[in-house]
Amino acid sequence: MSREQFMSRLTELLQDLSPAEREEAIQYYNDYLDDAGDENLPEVIASLGTPEELALSIRSGLNEGGAEGEFTESGYHAGRVHSQNEIMTTNSADVQKTGEQGTEQAAQNEAPEFEKNPDNAYYQKQYYENTQGKGVYGRRSTDEGELLPKKKMSAGMLALVITLAIFTFPLWIGLLAAVFGIAFSLLCVLAALAFSFVVIAVALVVGGLMVIGAGILEIAAAPAGALCIVGAGLILLAFGVLFTWLLVFFCAKGIPATWNGIKRLWNKIFHRGGKRA
Amino acid sequence: MPACCILQRAGAFVKRRKGEDRMVFNTGAALLDAIVLAVVSHETDGTYGYKITQEVREVIEISESTLYPVLRRLQKEECLEVHDMECAGRNRRYYVVTEKGRAQLNLYISEWYRYSAKLNGIFEGGLKHE
């Protein structure tokens, strides 16, 4: 990749930053490549990583705002704001201000929720360990590549999607109705099936018991035939009990498993989708 | 100058394993800030991004893109200030340590001594407690 290609791609990727922030970064890397000299330009460009990686590292600096974790002799301090307050009490107002500025800027990209809540030190620590430890200061990791597509949708894109949703209203309302209808009919079929199974089980048990009763009543008149009838009744009863047991087993295990499966599927489709939008 | 000391200490602390191009110890954000402030504070007239990167890379292993976010943040925190200076027919951005940056660096250095002294105590004098 040539220097021009590299820089124009980088400019493109930083499009949604504030102009001042973008120019700052572009000037820095232009300077950097000037200073590196023409003779080892290819190596230097290669060592900066892909423009995507570089853009990510520039962004990560902005997302930090003024607060970040650090290690001191007394353990891990989740927020720079806190540790600086301890040290430079006279400047605490300034530090607070830079922290807030940082947060405002970060809100344009992916403002971490917890920055608004400094008490939530654990998440801060986790977040900064992820962004700092691997992304920025550490060696380049594969995580960065995965992080890239999760960029927030720009305002224009969002407006477009909403407009599209409104204009295609007749289409998707019809589709929605159809999906709902199919789901409802499926539910009805399932309910009918369940009901019929219960009826079969009850009929087998009750029928068995009645046949047994009839057999016992006849036992004095015709013992041999009556025993046959009782035997048949017992067989019926056995089938009824087996069927009931199967039904109970299915309800106890099968239905919760199906329900969990549906929930998992739901989460898979909508949770991830929600994060991306 | 204490700045040299902190660099030496940092260099000693992140020694490379023999034959392996990997660092044993991670450099935390605060330490990296300290190293950058120290490097910039060497030059009273200021120094520029490429030079800072190369000097830091002499002691710790960082990628070429690591320092921009650090410099930008230190600049926003008013620990560094920038000015453009004409050099070989073009403008180059120079970083200079501010008063606040110097105070912060001194703090880092004293904290580093406290911290490393404690670690040294553990490494060398673990027997005393027995």
Side-chain angles (χ1 to χ4, degrees):
Chain A
M1 194 180 272
S2 79
R3 177 174 172 169
E4 285 70 30
Q5 282 173 318
F6 187 89
M7 290 312 287
S8 66
R9 178 82 183 118
L10 183 64
T11 317
E12 226 174 276
L13 288 164
L14 297 177
Q15 218 44 250
D16 55 327
L17 296 187
S18 69
E21 214 43 77
R22 184 170 59 245
E23 251 135 60
E24 187 75 32
I26 296 296
Q27 175 171 2
Y28 178 87
Y29 282 109
N30 259 327
D31 270 13
Y32 196 91
L33 294 176
D34 280 339
D35 290 320
D38 291 335
E39 60 276 9
N40 39 21
L41 199 60
E43 291 102 85
V44 176
I45 288 179
S47 68
L48 288 176
T50 65
E52 285 79 9
E53 285 167 339
L54 194 55
L56 194 79
S57 106
I58 290 166
R59 268 169 215 286
S60 72
L62 297 177
N63 282 346
E64 282 161 20
E68 74 181 57
E70 58 186 329
F71 290 93
T72 68
E73 83 295 337
S74 54
Y76 190 90
H77 284 235
R80 170 190 291 273
V81 177
H82 298 289
S83 57
Q84 278 198 344
N85 281 350
E86 287 163 23
I87 298 148
M88 308 160 98
T89 31
T90 47
N91 284 324
S92 60
D94 284 357
V95 174
Q96 209 71 46
K97 212 192 288 167
T98 48
E100 277 160 27
Q101 275 168 2
T103 313
E104 269 165 40
Q105 257 147 355
Q108 283 190 329
N109 310 319
E110 278 182 322
E113 276 300 314
F114 50 71
E115 280 200 353
K116 292 155 198 158
N117 176 14
D119 298 328
N120 212 343
Y122 175 72
Y123 290 103
Q124 255 179 349
K125 181 183 162 184
Q126 290 289 313
Y127 178 79
Y128 289 123
E129 268 175 0
N130 287 341
T131 53
Q132 306 264 111
K134 287 188 223 153
V136 194
Y137 297 131
R139 287 169 291 277
R140 253 180 267 129
S141 68
T142 47
D143 297 24
E144 288 182 45
E146 287 163 15
L147 277 172
L148 268 177
K150 287 187 183 168
K151 262 186 290 178
K152 222 176 170 182
M153 219 184 264
S154 71
M157 193 64 187
L158 200 69
L160 197 75
V161 168
I162 290 170
T163 324
L164 210 69
I166 290 167
F167 277 94
T168 54
F169 175 77
L171 191 75
W172 58 256
I173 198 76
L175 280 173
L176 212 67
V179 168
F180 187 76
I182 290 167
F184 186 72
S185 59
L186 275 175
L187 208 70
C188 285
V189 167
L190 277 175
L193 270 175
F195 182 71
S196 62
F197 276 116
V198 170
V199 168
I200 290 170
V202 169
L204 278 172
V205 170
V206 172
L209 284 172
M210 281 173 80
V211 170
I212 291 167
I216 287 168
L217 286 180
E218 289 297 310
I219 206 152
L227 276 177
C228 274
I229 293 169
V230 170
L234 282 171
I235 289 172
L236 269 179
L237 188 67
F239 272 113
V241 168
L242 181 70
F243 207 83
T244 311
W245 182 77
L246 278 175
L247 204 67
V248 168
F249 180 80
F250 178 75
C251 288
K253 299 262 168 168
I255 289 178
T258 315
W259 178 245
N260 281 339
I262 290 170
K263 266 206 302 210
R264 256 206 308 279
L265 197 71
W266 179 274
N267 282 344
K268 224 173 176 177
I269 296 167
F270 290 94
H271 197 68
R272 212 207 254 150
K275 247 194 227 164
R276 204 182 286 145
Chain B
M1 195 175 201
C4 326
C5 307
I6 197 171
L7 267 187
Q8 281 167 1
R9 289 299 194 109
F13 203 65
V14 287
K15 255 181 214 161
R16 280 153 199 236
R17 221 179 279 162
K18 233 181 189 175
E20 230 178 292
D21 196 30
R22 286 179 62 201
M23 284 202 299
V24 179
F25 297 113
N26 291 329
T27 309
L31 192 53
L32 193 57
D33 282 8
I35 294 167
V36 169
L37 283 172
V39 167
V40 178
S41 76
H42 284 311
E43 315 283 335
T44 41
D45 298 332
T47 178
Y48 50 93
Y50 183 76
K51 202 172 163 205
I52 299 169
T53 306
Q54 300 315 314
E55 281 184 29
V56 172
R57 274 159 67 88
E58 279 171 22
V59 284
I60 59 166
E61 193 183 286
I62 52 164
S63 76
E64 307 243 5
S65 58
T66 305
L67 285 193
Y68 174 73
V70 178
L71 288 167
R72 181 75 184 134
R73 199 189 56 239
L74 287 171
Q75 189 189 335
K76 279 187 187 161
E77 287 171 3
E78 292 162 5
C79 289
L80 291 178
E81 58 187 14
V82 297
H83 60 264
D84 290 343
M85 219 161 36
E86 177 96 5
C87 171
R90 62 183 181 82
N91 264 333
R92 189 196 263 159
R93 183 146 288 187
Y94 280 82
Y95 293 86
V96 188
V97 177
T98 62
E99 268 314 302
K100 189 180 169 189
R102 213 165 279 279
Q104 187 67 19
L105 174 60
N106 287 333
L107 174 102
Y108 278 140
I109 291 168
S110 58
E111 287 296 306
W112 173 260
Y113 283 142
R114 269 158 48 95
Y115 175 63
S116 56
K118 282 185 182 182
L119 285 188
N120 287 339
I122 291 275
F123 294 153
E124 293 157 10
L127 301 167
K128 283 176 206 158
H129 294 288
E130 297 290 321

